[in-house]
Amino acid sequence: MTSGQPGTGNARPNPTGATAESQAATTAAAGTPTQQNAANKQDAAEGATAASDSTAKGTDAVKGSDPAKDSGAIKADKPAKDSEPAKNGDPAKGAKADKTDGTDKADSEVKPVGPERWEAFASAPEPKPSIFSRVGRAVGRFLIHEWTLAALGSLALAVLMTWPTLRYPRYTLPQDYWDPSLQAWQMAWSGHILLAEPARLWQSNTFFPELWSFAFSDTLLGYAPAGMLGSGPEDAVLRYNIMFVLAHALATLGAYALARQLGAGRIGAAVAGVSYTYAPWLLAQAGHLHVLSNGGIPLALAMLARGHGWSLRHGYRPERRHDGWVYAGWLVAAWQLSLGFGIGLPFAYFLAGAVLVAAVLFIARRLRTGQAVPFGRRLFVADVLGGVLFAGVGLLMAFPFFKVTELHPYAERTVGDISLFSPPASGFVTAPGESRIWGGLHEGARAALPWHPEMTLLPGFVLYALAAGGLLFSVWRLRHRLLLLAGVLVTMAFAMGTRFFDGTFTYVPLFEHLPGWSGLRTPGRLMLWTTLLLGLLAAGAVTALTDRVRELTAQRIPSWPGPWLRMATLLPLLLVTVEGLNTTPHPVVPTQPAAMRSAEGPLLVLPSNQSLDQHVMLWSTSGFPDVVNGGSGFTPRQLDDVRRVSQSFPDQTSVDYLRTLGVRTVVLLRGQVAGTPWEINIDAPVESLGISRQEVGDAVVYRL
């Protein structure tokens, strides 16, 4: 193709005349209406961003009436889009064409002319944020997020409400130093053995030579990761106190999350969280970390409800389904079960019942309407896998307990045992002695209870009042309020054990037919579910109150006294918090004897009884030697025999018996022998028995 042919980008208008070929090309380029309209549309699109461009396009439209100029403009534009003049033609000619068609070139480059004079007055463009500023903004958004504030608030409240637990966390324990010493050992043992020899988890170093001894009581196995940090009794006490505070924080956060997911407002959810965690009856359980570690229950329920797109206030919303929350909910539920069956077993049966009811309602709705309710395959798979995980953890945890029952059938509870711990109806309005508000006032009522530590079940008078108000004034629908009320009454009846019509229609059928239920010693701990349901009723009432106050405030012009009305909505939260104040004692943990730091196992520490043996278990966290001592929910008969035979230690009978068991060391504590048979025998000579005797600190060490 030569330089004079159309499309090359080098043709110039002929001032004197044009050949037929060039005129034909000009006519073809500029005279065709379709092509000219397309060019005009393209020019209009390019100039739509500025008013000056529109003016320029209007000028070009007038110029476009001259066929000669239009043809030159079109020819000058075409090379810029279809070909490259610098490559296909003469650069000089291309430059000359640019000079000739200067106006059209400016138009094609879309240079705004009008607004340039005002650019100095325009606002400066916002600078592009650096990576540090973006990270800072993200961190700031995270810190002020609702769930961050809820977590931090729960933690701060837990520190304050459990004070002085963290004042001397290495030397004191809340409530008493018996059961907390046992539970501090449990966390230490699980963390130690999972790092050293996981296969020996259930064969602990206590109750030697018994098998499956770690399953003699609830294990707190879910806290094993914390048990991997530190060693020795002081670290075990510190670990216990930290987990004690964190358990309160998680319970508050879990109940808050559940109430929020069900549709409560922030203040209403806070009332539910605080009332669930700091109910007065739970103050009597301050020495039972496995009971206080209940935050996984409402948290798992909140996650499962969110994953399924369901709330109490808004019903089922399929668009809000998310299988990730379902997996998380089942995982948290499995972790909660690993903390112990005392409260985990009722939780497991509740989940099983909830799944069954949901499936029946799902099928019934489908049959009634003839339409498939949206659920989704991914959600179904998440529920199946999560349910299998939960059931698997439950079976793995239950197997050792069934072995213990098989080896020690007398360890299983009877209906008579349950009757001893079944609270009367008066227990629901009686507070424990640790309650700062009601403890002193209810001293006479507690004296009338056979076993008041497990029978003082007051969830709080403020909570009762708020829940009663929630039956009349609430954001929950009427049927939901009635269901919550039914749940409160039913759980109360079960919590009474055999005191409610002898438990014939409530507790006894569960005891006789549900696997594992016979291992639950205290029916009153089912009050946990009553407290949660009362908290949800109260959350509905407080949410309705805050919504009404917000409406009244918005209607006032000016909004005064709006701030005072808003502050008044915090009064229920304040009252519930005040009713949870405690006077829990924090005794100093007995110091580990120097002999326990170097004694070689298997060993026996004397005197031996249920209370002192729990201290021995804590002291054994220095190296975890095998010890005959142990404390749990029941006492093996062999340990009873050891305690009976060793009453005369050191003598030939007791020495021979202990050697038969494999005991190689006996530690006799001088500070504990007052009023016991060892008070006389502790300084008796032992040369004729073939054993050695050595004074180590405040103890006497015998090597067999």
Side-chain angles (χ1 to χ4, degrees):
M1 184 181 292
T2 61
S3 59
Q5 292 175 337
T8 61
N10 296 325
R12 291 177 293 142
N14 190 349
T16 57
T19 63
E21 183 179 358
S22 62
Q23 290 177 357
T26 302
T27 304
T32 304
T34 303
Q35 294 178 353
Q36 188 171 357
N37 291 338
N40 291 338
K41 287 181 181 179
Q42 182 175 359
D43 291 342
E46 293 176 353
T49 57
S52 60
D53 293 341
S54 300
T55 305
K57 294 293 181 292
T59 305
D60 292 341
V62 175
K63 290 181 180 180
S65 61
D66 188 348
K69 291 185 179 181
D70 285 345
S71 63
I74 294 172
K75 286 184 178 181
D77 285 332
K78 286 191 68 177
K81 298 176 182 178
D82 301 332
S83 60
E84 298 180 3
K87 293 182 180 180
N88 300 333
D90 185 0
K93 291 181 180 181
K96 200 168 183 180
D98 290 342
K99 290 180 181 180
T100 305
D101 303 323
T103 303
D104 296 306
K105 181 180 178 183
D107 177 54
S108 64
E109 293 178 357
V110 193
K111 288 185 178 180
V113 178
E116 289 181 353
R117 68 184 67 182
W118 307 109
E119 287 182 357
F121 299 95
S123 59
E126 184 177 354
K128 184 178 180 180
S130 64
I131 185 173
F132 298 103
S133 62
R134 292 197 299 270
V135 171
R137 292 177 183 177
V139 172
R141 288 192 299 269
F142 173 78
L143 292 177
I144 64 174
H145 196 276
E146 176 187 354
W147 295 109
T148 304
L149 296 177
L152 295 177
S154 300
L155 182 59
L157 185 64
V159 173
L160 294 176
M161 295 294 284
T162 60
W163 191 261
T165 299
L166 294 183
R167 185 176 184 180
Y168 303 109
R170 299 174 70 90
Y171 308 105
T172 63
L173 285 171
Q175 187 77 0
D176 55 56
Y177 43 56
W178 293 301
D179 283 355
S181 294
L182 162 65
Q183 292 161 351
W185 166 81
Q186 288 174 329
M187 284 189 282
W189 167 256
S190 59
H192 159 76
I193 202 63
L194 288 178
L195 289 176
E197 192 178 353
R200 196 191 157 193
L201 171 64
W202 298 102
Q203 318 300 333
S204 76
N205 70 311
T206 59
F207 293 99
F208 177 85
E210 295 285 354
L211 301 176
W212 307 99
S213 55
F214 194 48
F216 284 1
S217 57
D218 273 342
T219 63
L220 293 173
L221 187 58
Y223 289 151
M228 298 177 182
L229 305 175
S231 62
E234 288 188 359
D235 287 345
V237 172
L238 173 63
R239 182 187 306 114
Y240 178 91
N241 285 321
I242 292 176
M243 300 311 297
F244 179 81
V245 174
L246 291 180
H248 284 80
L250 182 62
T252 305
L253 181 63
Y256 176 88
L258 178 60
R260 286 289 283 154
Q261 172 59 31
L262 295 182
R266 292 182 177 88
I267 299 178
V271 169
V274 173
S275 63
Y276 176 74
T277 307
Y278 303 104
W281 77 272
L282 281 170
L283 299 177
Q285 304 293 330
H288 301 143
L289 184 58
H290 61 291
V291 177
L292 299 177
S293 299
N294 51 54
I297 294 176
L299 184 60
L301 295 178
M303 289 178 170
L304 290 172
R306 181 167 184 176
H308 290 84
W310 185 84
S311 71
L312 199 62
R313 192 173 183 180
H314 305 289
Y316 178 55
R317 292 179 287 182
E319 68 278 4
R320 292 178 175 261
R321 293 169 298 168
H322 196 292
D323 59 318
W325 284 111
V326 175
Y327 285 114
W330 283 112
L331 187 63
V332 172
W335 173 78
Q336 176 66 59
L337 189 61
S338 71
L339 293 175
F341 286 112
I343 61 173
L345 189 64
F347 177 49
Y349 282 118
F350 173 82
L351 280 180
V355 170
L356 180 61
V357 170
V360 170
L361 292 177
F362 184 87
I363 297 173
R365 182 178 177 183
R366 182 171 183 176
L367 293 176
R368 185 177 67 254
T369 61
Q371 297 178 351
V373 182
F375 193 79
R377 182 176 301 176
R378 294 179 60 180
L379 208 60
F380 178 76
V381 172
D383 279 325
V384 171
L385 295 180
V388 169
L389 170 67
F390 181 79
V393 171
L395 292 176
L396 290 176
M397 291 285 297
F399 178 77
F401 290 92
F402 285 123
K403 294 295 293 184
V404 170
T405 303
E406 179 183 342
L407 295 173
H408 308 277
Y410 51 88
E412 195 170 2
R413 314 291 180 188
T414 64
V415 176
D417 296 330
I418 302 302
S419 300
L420 295 176
F421 296 98
S422 297
S426 61
F428 296 118
V429 291
T430 306
E434 292 82 0
S435 173
R436 184 177 294 274
I437 304 299
W438 307 113
L441 297 174
H442 291 183
E443 184 175 357
R446 286 195 304 274
L449 298 175
W451 183 249
H452 66 82
E454 297 289 351
M455 296 182 180
T456 51
L457 302 180
L458 175 67
F461 290 112
V462 175
L463 183 60
Y464 276 144
L466 292 174
L471 294 174
L472 305 174
F473 179 68
S474 177
V475 294
W476 313 134
R477 294 182 178 91
L478 178 60
R479 67 174 183 273
H480 294 153
R481 285 179 255 168
L482 295 178
L483 286 174
L484 290 173
L485 175 62
V488 169
L489 298 178
V490 169
T491 53
M492 279 185 167
F494 279 100
M496 292 178 66
T498 59
R499 293 294 187 104
F500 186 80
F501 296 101
D502 296 327
T504 304
F505 306 104
T506 55
Y507 200 88
V508 173
L510 301 181
F511 182 88
E512 293 177 346
H513 301 292
L514 289 185
W517 202 274
S518 59
L520 303 182
R521 180 170 60 107
T522 51
R525 292 174 184 175
L526 292 174
M527 191 65 186
L528 192 70
W529 293 92
T530 306
T531 307
L532 182 59
L533 296 174
L534 288 172
L536 293 178
L537 274 173
V542 175
T543 301
L545 174 64
T546 55
D547 290 348
R548 182 58 179 161
V549 167
R550 191 178 299 110
E551 293 174 1
L552 292 175
T553 302
Q555 294 172 2
R556 292 177 179 268
I557 302 175
S559 61
W560 188 91
W564 295 102
L565 286 175
R566 289 180 179 272
M567 290 182 62
T569 60
L570 296 175
L571 185 60
L573 177 60
L574 178 62
L575 293 176
V576 168
T577 305
V578 169
E579 199 171 16
L581 295 176
N582 67 87
T583 58
T584 302
H586 286 72
V588 177
V589 181
T591 305
Q592 180 190 34
M596 287 289 296
R597 301 171 191 166
S598 56
E600 297 180 358
L603 63 90
L604 169 66
V605 179
L606 296 175
S608 173
N609 56 54
Q610 174 73 13
S611 299
L612 292 178
D613 280 6
Q614 291 174 330
H615 298 155
V616 175
M617 299 172 79
L618 176 61
W619 296 336
S620 73
T621 55
S622 293
F624 293 95
D626 289 332
V627 295
V628 178
N629 306 73
S632 71
F634 81 101
T635 302
R637 289 178 179 173
Q638 183 171 274
L639 181 56
D640 274 337
D641 293 340
V642 170
R643 290 171 178 171
R644 177 177 50 80
V645 173
S646 62
Q647 292 286 325
S648 60
F649 184 87
D651 66 348
Q652 194 63 53
T653 302
S654 60
V655 170
D656 291 343
Y657 178 74
L658 293 177
R659 282 174 174 170
T660 302
L661 292 179
V663 177
R664 294 294 174 260
T665 306
V666 176
V667 177
L668 186 55
L669 304 177
R670 285 187 176 274
Q672 302 291 336
V673 298
T676 68
W678 298 288
E679 188 175 8
I680 300 174
N681 298 337
I682 191 170
D683 294 317
V686 296
E687 289 79 7
S688 61
L689 300 176
I691 62 177
S692 64
R693 178 179 178 277
Q694 180 185 4
E695 298 280 346
V696 180
D698 193 28
V700 180
V701 178
Y702 300 88
R703 291 181 173 83
L704 309 186

